[in-house]
Amino acid sequence: MRSVLYKITRGIIRLLSGQRPVSDFASSDVASPPEDPEQAAHVSSPPSAPSDSEFDKLVLFCKESYKKYSPPHDAFDILPAVLHDLCKRDPRFSFLDAVFRELASEDDGLIEQCGRKARAAKSTLAFLEDSSADDLHIVTTAMLHHIVEYNLGGWEEKDESGFTSVSKCCEEVVTSTIYEILDTFDIGLTPGQAEAGNSASGKIGLLVSLHEKCKGLPPHPRNPPRQPFATASSLRPQHRYPCEKRLISGDGLIRVLQILPGTKDAEVQCRLKECNIHENDIEEALSYVWGEPILGETIQINEKPYLVTKRLHEILRSLRRPTAVRTIWIDAICINQQDNEEKEHQVRLMMDIYSKTKNTLIWLNDQAVPDVFKEEGMEFAPHKIPFPLPTRSDNTIIDQNDLSSILEEFQKCHVNGKLSSRLLAGIMMMRCMHYILSHTWWERIWTLQEAALPHEPPTFFFRGYSFSFDELTAAYDFNSDLIDDTNKAKTVPNGTHKYTRKGIEYLRYIHMVHVERLIIRIKPVLFYIRADRQERQRPDLYTLQYFLTVTATYRAFDNRDKVFALQSLLPTRKGNLIKVDYNEPFEDTFKRATARCYNMAGSLEVAGQFNFLVESQEDSLTDTDCPSWILDFTYSGAALGQEGRMTEYGPVSLVGFLHAIAPSHFQHYKNSRFNSSLRIIPFATSRTLYCAGSCLDRIGRTWSIPLLHNDTQAEFTKVMGRFVVDVIDADDERGMNSPKLREFHRPRTSSFPDEWSWVRFFTMFIEDDLFNWHDEVKVMVHRFHALAGKSVFVTEKGLVGIASKPVEAGDWLCLIHTLPMYLVLREVKGFEDEDENAQEHRIVARTAIYEKLYDMEAMIKSLPVRRFQIV
């Protein structure tokens, strides 16, 4: 019996690991188990057998690990019928149905494999339930071996591209379907239902119940279409799209632009031609910054006048060949920008378009002089340096904008050149890099896919010269060599002529200035994304939350594109879960993306990187129809720690300050019992964010930070001193009882902060800020200016904080599980319920707390944990 049981167990393991078909379960060639149970632990080098004291825990661990195979299998049975029915009722579910059909129809057999594994796992669980104690040792040891070797507990079976797990993608489809049902049919959840969504099996059960509930409900109407450009020129006949056929069939049809030959001053003549991206490659594609949407220049397309921007008109004239047709894909022309439905279909083809482009042209020819070089004048310009400039092989001087020639010269000097030659070549290369990286092209969200997706390195056009993306990468990667050259130049060899010594010292100074600028510049994320795609690295990071975070500083003319432009950068399965809909307001797009981040990560940590939408918008737009937990993905400089800063030292805005101090807040609740006393994974619906946290205290009194009348130290000292005293002298008029604050007037002790500590808090200083005295006062004045008008509050227990938006007495200072910063919440008026966990709240602001008055970790540990419903 033991031998048969062992054979069956090993057969199941072979099936789960893809080694054996189902018919081989009890195959006679399966090795018999050792007579000694301890020897069974060493079959195929598994971990050692567990002791009796650990055995019960091990059996439970094996059961839980194998149970994780069942939910995906259940989803494969349930999802097709649910999505088919929903699509018949409303086309808004079609994108989800398409994702699941693609998942189920793949040729790699993963769906079938998952189904077999799920059934095998259930059989294994039956063995674990029915086996005797002796047999359990054999079965469990084998199970442990398989869990460790194949990562059974993580369900990380990956597709042939190595990007994503089928089960994880299936879970995302289930979660997204739940969200769309709640949003389309305007259904709410109970807290109990929301908590059921914390597990994969719970989500499937929730999906089934919601599908049944929505059968008797009509879908609410779609939002009215919005036009992207509200300009007078959009009404002119010249702006009517020259092609009548709409590309909305989903069969891979696109248009390419043929620029007809002509002389420099002749009118630009073009033709639009249809082709199938699944059958044809694209000769060239253009990537450029659209600029202002002022359509003031006329070209001819298909012998019809068509208006374009001045920038695009100049590019077309420059790209036109004198005697040959040039075929190129340009999004502004090849997609009818006035047809939202066509835009949605064409955006979904972006990955194919740029992946099949033979040559991508990146246009930087219109770059202006960066402000930093305007401020310094021309003293650091290479042609002003009293050293001979390097020359090409034809003895012509290398231009300071010719990166390709500069890089070649630098590499040559780096091998056998003089120190002065290396320094000069380094100065030229760094200055040219600054010009290139200062272009607004690097700040636009669509440019990421345009440069990351092509298989061949894109070609840059910059001030009359061209270079490849690989050459730009090589120039950037010479940072360490540039720093070495600066260090070598610190000591000039003895015996060097004094004029040569002076010249090298001068070169070293200019070189050092450029090195410092290059070091503090954040390397554009495009370098990493393109390298990862070429080398197929870092697959686990490729999630929507990851790309939203690393592209936080990128901008888009249409806010919705901050999400839509990421579709082609994500793995296909995850990217297609982005609902591209130009007929919905950007608030709905951000709401869907925020909910997806919260639900798939099981965490609110992403909220530490962005403003909430209620913080960014004007008061008139923050009505109750817009959930307060939505993140504003339009732009965030928080991750840079430099938003709005005056110098290279530290954050000056409240956004940057909140991000800089977030790790300490995160550590507070990681070290406390906050995580364990009420474990609720955050779950967001289209209305409500269900989560857990603690109320620290109720706000008792508020102020606004005053405005300085001038930037002098005397004015700053007077206003800041009066303001700090007002905060500390908060009286009992509103129920205040703050012995800690009153202690401020007593003689200082080593355990209580002095006045300077308060001043540093109200000027957003952190421990990493390092200044000399003169710089510190100057930066303090600048930062206090940045905080003018912000709310400062004192709670009933004496906690002092700065809020990102106006707060009121009676609001609650709270800490929410997995959110690494303090929030101010406001109870929803008119909501009456005896159960405090059923009370709805709205987010009012994020806040920084002056933590030196209390042991915040001890305070958090002492507070009860409760449920929150944030609307």
Side-chain angles (χ1 to χ4, degrees), residues 550-748:
V550 300
T551 62
T553 58
Y554 285 71
R555 300 181 186 273
F557 177 74
D558 187 328
N559 290 338
R560 294 167 291 191
D561 286 335
K562 282 298 298 283
V563 178
F564 297 163
L566 303 180
Q567 184 189 56
S568 58
L569 295 175
L570 286 162
T572 303
R573 296 166 181 163
K574 294 182 179 181
N576 288 341
L577 281 172
I578 293 179
K579 183 181 180 182
V580 180
D581 187 353
Y582 284 101
N583 286 326
E584 70 176 8
F586 82 91
E587 294 90 346
D588 288 353
T589 302
F590 285 2
K591 179 172 65 173
R592 183 178 289 104
T594 303
R596 182 176 172 185
C597 291
Y598 291 164
N599 294 340
M600 294 314 302
S603 167
L604 307 180
E605 192 170 352
V606 65
Q609 305 285 340
F610 298 92
N611 288 336
F612 289 104
L613 200 57
V614 293
E615 297 176 282
S616 304
Q617 304 297 315
E618 298 294 332
D619 292 340
S620 60
L621 298 179
T622 58
D623 53 63
T624 55
D625 292 334
C626 183
S628 60
W629 47 264
I630 302 175
L631 298 177
D632 182 7
F633 298 117
T634 304
Y635 176 87
S636 174
L640 300 178
Q642 64 177 12
E643 183 176 295
R645 68 185 185 181
M646 180 182 64
T647 67
E648 63 262 37
Y649 304 105
V652 69
S653 70
L654 186 56
V655 172
F657 183 55
L658 289 169
H659 178 76
I661 63 176
S664 64
H665 299 168
F666 189 74
Q667 197 64 31
H668 285 327
Y669 66 71
K670 281 186 67 175
N671 292 343
S672 70
R673 63 174 184 164
F674 194 72
N675 273 349
S676 59
S677 54
L678 184 60
R679 179 65 176 175
I680 296 180
I681 298 176
F683 187 78
T685 71
S686 58
R687 291 180 181 175
T688 307
L689 171 63
Y690 297 89
C691 53
S694 292
C695 292
L696 277 71
D697 198 11
R698 191 184 290 270
I699 292 177
R701 186 175 177 183
T702 65
W703 296 263
S704 292
I705 294 181
L707 179 67
L708 297 177
H709 296 293
N710 56 64
D711 293 341
T712 63
Q713 181 177 339
E715 173 71 6
F716 170 72
T717 303
K718 179 181 71 174
V719 174
M720 174 63 82
R722 185 185 302 124
F723 175 71
V724 170
V725 170
D726 286 344
V727 174
I728 296 171
D729 282 345
D731 53 30
D732 295 326
E733 291 180 2
R734 302 195 180 185
M736 298 291 297
N737 184 15
S738 309
K740 282 279 187 180
L741 288 176
R742 300 183 188 289
E743 189 177 348
F744 183 82
H745 294 288
R746 301 176 185 174
R748 294 181 198 160

Side-chain angles (χ1 to χ4, degrees), residues 252-265:
L253 284 180
I254 65 169
R255 303 184 189 94
V256 292
L257 184 71
Q258 294 181 326
I259 307 175
L260 303 181
T263 59
K264 180 179 179 181
D265 298 328

Side-chain angles (χ1 to χ4, degrees), residues 106 108-115 157-160 166 573:
E106 290 175 336
D108 54 19
L110 285 173
I111 300 299
E112 180 184 355
Q113 183 182 3
C114 289
E157 299 293 338
K158 299 198 175 155
D159 62 15
E160 74 282 358
V166 171
R573 296 166 181 163

